[in-house]
Amino acid sequence: PDSRYALVLAEAIRGIEGQKRSVVELRSRVGTLLSAASVATAFLGGAALADKSIGLLGGLAVVLFAVNVVVDLSILWPADWTFHTSNTVLADKWIKQRNMNASQMQRWLAKFLDDHAAKNHTLLTRLWKRYEWAIGILAASILFWLLELVGLEGWLRGVVFR
């Protein structure tokens, strides 16, 4: 077998495994973000509801919390990832049916993984972008809760009359 194909395959495997780690990391971060949003809303919303009512900013904070949950869940929703091929395909289709040698199999598998890495990359990039949006939505939600707690008028007085 041509050892150059083994190097190409090793690189394809390294790339696809890196993507798999990135998916795991993203899901972990989203879980943390979802927890932070829940704690912030419970704590700040509870404080804002101490007088039994919330104003417009509190209402917007609740809406942003709901939007954040939807965005987070859209990231966590199962996706069509491909990180490997079936051993049955390797044995039955490539060896038994096509009689491929080791170099041919390494070359084909490297191409297979590379094609799926490109597809995975598109989806992964889109999900990381959603994660960035979710962070911004959480920040806005917390800001609205804080403005609700201090009162917009009180905050404006503090900013304008410093």
Side-chain angles (χ1 to χ4, degrees), residues 16 19 80-83 116-125:
I16 205 97
Q19 282 185 331
D80 188 21
W81 302 106
T82 302
F83 296 112
H116 285 288
K119 184 188 79 158
N120 290 344
H121 177 74
T122 301
L123 180 56
L124 195 53
T125 300

Side-chain angles (χ1 to χ4, degrees), residues 1 8 16 21 25 27 36 43-44 48-49 52 56 71 80 82 87 90 95 105 113 117 127-128 130-131 134 149 160:
V8 172
I16 205 97
R21 284 190 303 275
E25 178 184 349
R27 288 183 173 175
F43 179 73
L44 296 172
L49 284 170
K52 306 289 187 236
L56 175 65
V71 171
D80 188 21
T82 302
N87 291 329
L90 291 173
I95 296 173
M105 289 180 68
L113 293 176
L127 293 179
W128 276 107
R130 283 186 204 167
Y131 175 71
L149 286 169
V160 174

Side-chain angles (χ1 to χ4, degrees), residues 92-157:
D92 291 345
K93 190 173 184 180
W94 296 0
I95 296 173
K96 288 181 182 177
Q97 290 177 10
R98 295 187 183 171
N99 197 27
M100 287 185 176
N101 64 35
S103 293
Q104 291 170 322
M105 289 180 68
Q106 289 171 340
R107 181 176 178 268
W108 197 95
L109 185 56
K111 174 145 180 30
F112 173 87
L113 293 176
D114 196 45
D115 290 345
H116 285 288
K119 184 188 79 158
N120 290 344
H121 177 74
T122 301
L123 180 56
L124 195 53
T125 300
R126 190 176 327 128
L127 293 179
W128 276 107
K129 186 56 74 179
R130 283 186 204 167
Y131 175 71
E132 292 171 7
W133 276 97
I135 291 171
I137 293 167
L138 174 59
S141 176
I142 290 171
L143 176 64
F144 285 159
W145 277 125
L146 293 175
L147 291 175
E148 175 75 20
L149 286 169
V150 300
L152 184 58
E153 301 83 21
W155 179 76
L156 286 174
R157 273 195 302 274

